[in-house]
Each structure stands twice: as C-alpha cells, then as structure tokens.
Amino acid sequence: MLSLSRGRPGFATLGGLFILIATVVFVSASATRLVPAQEALDLVIAGGRVMDPESGLDAVRSIGIRRGKIVAISSEPLTARTIVDVRGLVVSPGFIDLHSHGQTDENYRFKAMDGVTTALEMEVGTAEVAAWYAQREGKSLINFGATVGHIPARMAVVGDKGDFLPRDEGIRRRLTDAEQRRLLGIVRRGLDEGALGIGFGIAYVPAATRKEILDVFEVAAERGVACFVHLRSHGAVEPGSAIESAQEAIADAAATGASLHIVHVTSTGLSQTATLLRMIEGARKHGLDITTEAYPYTAAMTGLETAIFDEGWQEKMGIGYKELQWVATGERLTAESFARYRKLGGMVVIHSIPEEIARLAVAHPMVMIASDGIITDGKGHPRGAGTYARVLGRYVREQQALTLMNALRKMTLMPAERLAKATPAMSAKGRIKIGADADLAIFDAARVIDRATFENPAQFSEGFAHVLVNGVFVVRDGKLIENTKPGSAIRRK
Ligand SMILES: [Zn+2]
C-alpha cells in the first residue's frame, strides 16, 4: 500500500521496517487494548511537494497523520476522516527557532504565521525553569522550551533591578565565592528541572570573569548539555574584538568538553563574521561540537540601558547615533535623545550589519536560521515575525543565495540535531519520516515573503497555507487558528 520514496532504498527500507514492526505491535496489542490493526488516519496532507532534509526526499507525496505523528508517507492516495489537498505547495518539517525571546501568545501567533512550530528561548533563558514551563503547559499555540540562563541566574544572585536584561548590579559586580556557588546551584537546579541547556549573554554581564564563565561551561559538560552563547564582545576593535570573544568560548568548550552554540554570528561578528565562521569551521574540523546561527536582517536590537552601549560602542560597532532607532517611536537617535532614553531604558534597533554579511551567514551551509525575535504589544524588530519567510522569499527565491532544501535544513534538521544529543524528543522533530511528530509548515514557494518592517514589525508573513503542531492546525488556509493550544513542552528528560 505504501510506496515509500522510490529510488531511495535506505529510507524505504527503514520506513517499511517500521510499518512492519508497528503492524506486529498493533496485532499483538489488539487483544488487550482493542486497537485495530488498520486504524483510520486522522488526517491526510495530500499531494504536496514533500521536502525532508534528512533523507533528501523531494517528491510529491501524501502524508498520513494519526495521534499527532506521521504514520504514512505515500505516493498513492491515502484515505482519512480529513483530507487536505496541498497540490502545488511545499510540505516541510515545521521550523525550529532556537533563539526566540518572545514566549507569549502574541509572539506564538507571529511565529505560527511564519512557519515556526517550535520556539525555544536558548540565549537568555530563565532562572526559574519549572515555573517557566508551568506557565505555558497546555496553553501554547506552538511547542516551547528554554535553557537555564546564566544572565537571569546572575541577576537573581546579585539582586539586579533589570527586567529581562541586567541594568545595574548584574552588569558591574564581581561575584564573591559564595555568590558564585549560589549561581552554579541555580544552574544545576534548572537542569534538574529539564532545561534544554545553559544560556549565556556575556556581553550583558561584563563583570563576569573568564573563570565564572568557564565554571558554568563545566556544569554543561558534566550534564551533557550545550552552551548557547552571546559572546563577550563584538566587532573588530582590539582588545575586546569578536575574535577574542570567540576564542574565549571556543577555549572553554575545548577545556571542558561542553558543546557550544554561538548565537547571532552576524551581529556579534560584524566585519569579522567571515573570520568567526572560519574559526568555528576549524574547531569543528578538529573535533569540537560547535555550531552557530544568524537572522536575515541588517540590524540588531537590544536594550539601550544595557552594557552594550557602554563607552566605546560607536567604535566597536562602526556606527553613530543615527544608526540607532528607538523602538517605541521609530525615531532615529541623536546624542541628546540617546542620553535621555538610556536613562529610561528600552529596546533600540541597531542598524549595524552590512547586507553582504547577512547574506554570507544566511547562505553559509553551517549556519542555522534563528530569529532572536521578540514582539511586545506590536513593537519590536521585524525578525520576530518575518525571519523564516524572509529567508525563503528574499534569499532563496529572489536572490538564489541558497537552495530551498538547504534553507529548510537550516530551519529544521540542524536545530533539531543541535538539541537531540541532550534532548532525545528532538529526534522526532525537524524531519518528515514515519514516527516523527506531525509538525509541518506548508507554503507556496512562489509567494512566501515577510511583511514585517522596522517601522511596523507586527505583520504576519505571507505564503504559509497550513501549519500543523503535533498534528493540529494552527494555521489553515492562510488563517491563524486562535482557539487551539496544541503546543507541547520540549524538555530534556
Ligand atoms: Zn544576543
């Protein structure tokens, strides 16, 4: 009945074997559980161009879904209670965003309309892992998860008054030995509670010594989780360049054995991005587990009150006041408004990344796509809403900077593999295969495009016809389904 990806014997054999085993299980279980051997499918996604970066499958197939899992991939028609005709559309594994600060209903809506089925807060993370998950369980449109964060743990230890990022003690204060032990205690407890790794934003806590960071890497190595790191500094000015900062993190990974993921390589690397990529490739070649990511934009965003804007920021980033855009109003800054808003605190867009640097990273086969996005009451950076459609529309279709399959690999399989070693549940994501979770992004490759702009970031991407999370539609016929909560917690356990 199931003709599985003709011409790809490995995939067909494995899939066939699985079905054989599944049939045997159903038959033997049927006496006790009354599960019929040929249970009907819940849903068929019929006749789309199915693209799976793991197997290389790129062909017209129908996908059968039952209880949130992919249970059939067939070149013949399948029957089910619900059949959705997706002829002419690409069927991809749902996108996995490793760097999604926005973890609210508002943000999940923008993510779903951009093809994202799993949004993970890996860089900043949280100090209260159990509570963080409890707030979202059973209430989320898409899948979610987080690291335990060095930044929030440090803020808790020193009593920083900042909200999301440190603004006083967390930035300036060295930890005592007792405080350092408390910090490591928070990190260990977070991992016990299922955190997906350890997040770092060293640039936000310049008082954190190299020893403090190394000790936290050691905990990651002990527990077999990766470190997700915003490096200590950015740009080309020495000392304190992005290269020096990458050397710190790579050395900590080498010295402890921890895996390392360097976040947003473009906004950190700036003019040194190609060198950073060369360093990461070299370290990988010599046996270290190091990965990286980028977003497809020519601007960064962060808090104006943070240590990023300490003395010397213009030289480090190679920009001036007018390259800063105050998110609340959209205005470009001057020396006067910079000083005023820095005291107030709030998000600022930083137009600092040359287009050729953004394109270099987006097209580089080693670099994953991740948004670094957050939208709050409609305000923010367009990356929170448009990252994935922008890569597919602008860089794949319009500029042909990379192939569609390579783009999908950077959005699905690569982030899943980054996490799978510590979090086995991720082996069932980022793939279209028998037994995988039915997280799917179904889009029109000729039409998909971002609509979010710096002036108006709160705009849904276009071209996603259907998006499924655990077999449930969160986008159907191009429209968001609001009253559904199929998202599940991604935990390391
Ligand atoms: Zn960052």
Side-chain angles (χ1 to χ4, degrees), residues 131-144:
W132 190 95
Y133 277 99
Q135 277 165 16
R136 293 166 178 83
E137 295 230 57
K139 301 174 202 157
S140 298
L141 189 66
I142 61 175
N143 304 314
F144 56 90

Side-chain angles (χ1 to χ4, degrees), residues 2-5 8-26 71 434-435:
L2 301 175
S3 134
L4 288 142
S5 45
R8 293 181 200 280
F11 188 71
T13 310
L14 265 182
L17 186 63
F18 185 90
I19 288 166
L20 183 66
I21 293 167
T23 308
V24 171
V25 169
F26 275 131
V71 296
I434 304 289

Side-chain angles (χ1 to χ4, degrees), residues 99 101 123 204 230 263-264 372:
H99 196 150
H101 296 301
E123 181 206 43
Y204 294 103
H230 177 146
V263 302
H264 49 55
D372 195 7

Side-chain angles (χ1 to χ4, degrees), residues 434-457:
I434 304 289
D437 296 336
D439 294 343
L440 297 173
I442 301 165
F443 60 94
D444 183 346
R447 219 168 59 78
V448 63
I449 198 73
D450 57 311
R451 290 287 170 221
T453 62
F454 288 102
E455 285 64 39
N456 184 7

Side-chain angles (χ1 to χ4, degrees), residues 111-422:
K111 295 272 118 191
M113 289 295 284
D114 202 29
V116 175
T117 53
T118 301
L120 306 172
E121 160 58 287
M122 304 302 278
E123 181 206 43
V124 175
T126 175
E128 300 291 340
V129 173
W132 190 95
Y133 277 99
Q135 277 165 16
R136 293 166 178 83
E137 295 230 57
K139 301 174 202 157
S140 298
L141 189 66
I142 61 175
N143 304 314
F144 56 90
T147 53
V148 58
H150 171 259
I151 293 178
R154 195 174 208 279
M155 288 169 75
V157 165
V158 300
D160 189 282
K161 285 187 281 300
D163 170 20
F164 177 55
L165 293 169
R167 65 181 307 156
D168 44 52
E169 297 290 283
I171 299 176
R172 314 272 165 234
R173 220 174 86 204
R174 290 275 166 96
L175 300 186
T176 64
D177 289 350
E179 286 170 338
Q180 167 84 353
R181 280 193 297 277
R182 274 178 58 210
L183 181 132
L184 294 177
I186 292 173
V187 171
R188 288 202 175 90
R189 188 191 67 207
L191 292 171
D192 290 342
E193 292 170 354
L196 296 172
I198 306 177
F200 294 77
I202 311 174
Y204 294 103
V205 288
T209 61
R210 283 164 176 74
K211 167 76 161 51
E212 177 180 329
I213 300 300
L214 177 68
D215 286 354
V216 183
F217 266 67
E218 201 128 77
V219 176
E222 245 168 58
R223 300 296 186 95
V225 301
C227 297
F228 295 79
V229 182
H230 177 146
L231 299 176
R232 190 176 287 277
S233 192
H234 42 269
V237 177
E238 300 281 12
S241 68
I243 293 173
E244 182 190 296
S245 304
Q247 286 170 344
E248 176 188 14
I250 293 170
D252 286 356
T256 60
S259 298
L260 167 64
H261 180 83
I262 295 176
V263 302
H264 49 55
V265 68
T266 54
S267 62
T268 293
L270 298 175
S271 64
Q272 308 303 297
T273 297
T275 305
L276 255 51
L277 292 175
R278 190 151 55 88
M279 292 169 72
I280 297 166
E281 278 184 304
R284 289 167 63 91
K285 217 176 282 165
H286 293 96
L288 297 184
D289 178 18
I290 304 187
T291 52
T292 191
E293 61 171 53
Y295 48 76
Y297 290 90
T298 55
M301 181 180 81
T302 197
L304 189 59
E305 73 284 7
T306 65
I308 302 292
F309 292 99
D310 283 357
E311 200 60 42
W313 63 268
Q314 292 104 318
E315 294 72 32
K316 284 175 95 52
M317 291 190 235
I319 58 170
Y321 294 110
K322 66 176 190 318
E323 277 75 35
L324 302 181
Q325 191 173 13
W326 187 240
V327 164
T329 59
E331 74 193 273
R332 297 289 182 134
L333 297 191
T334 61
E336 181 276 321
S337 55
F338 175 91
R340 187 157 37 89
Y341 288 139
R342 185 157 155 82
K343 263 189 223 114
L344 186 67
M347 287 289 166
V348 69
V349 166
I350 311 163
H351 295 274
S352 59
I353 307 166
E355 170 64 31
E356 59 272 21
I357 299 292
R359 193 187 309 115
L360 168 77
V362 165
H364 194 292
M366 185 183 67
V367 180
M368 300 175 204
I369 303 301
S371 75
D372 195 7
I374 182 166
I375 292 188
T376 308
D377 300 329
K379 301 280 186 187
H381 184 303
R383 65 193 180 189
T387 287
Y388 292 84
R390 186 172 176 83
V391 170
L392 297 171
R394 184 179 166 90
Y395 291 99
V396 174
R397 185 180 62 239
E398 292 173 7
Q399 298 188 10
Q400 297 174 6
L402 70 169
T403 65
L404 179 54
M405 187 65 97
N406 281 341
L408 296 179
R409 178 176 295 112
K410 291 155 158 285
M411 301 171 174
T412 60
L413 183 65
M414 287 169 69
E417 285 183 331
R418 168 73 284 175
L419 294 176
K421 219 189 290 173

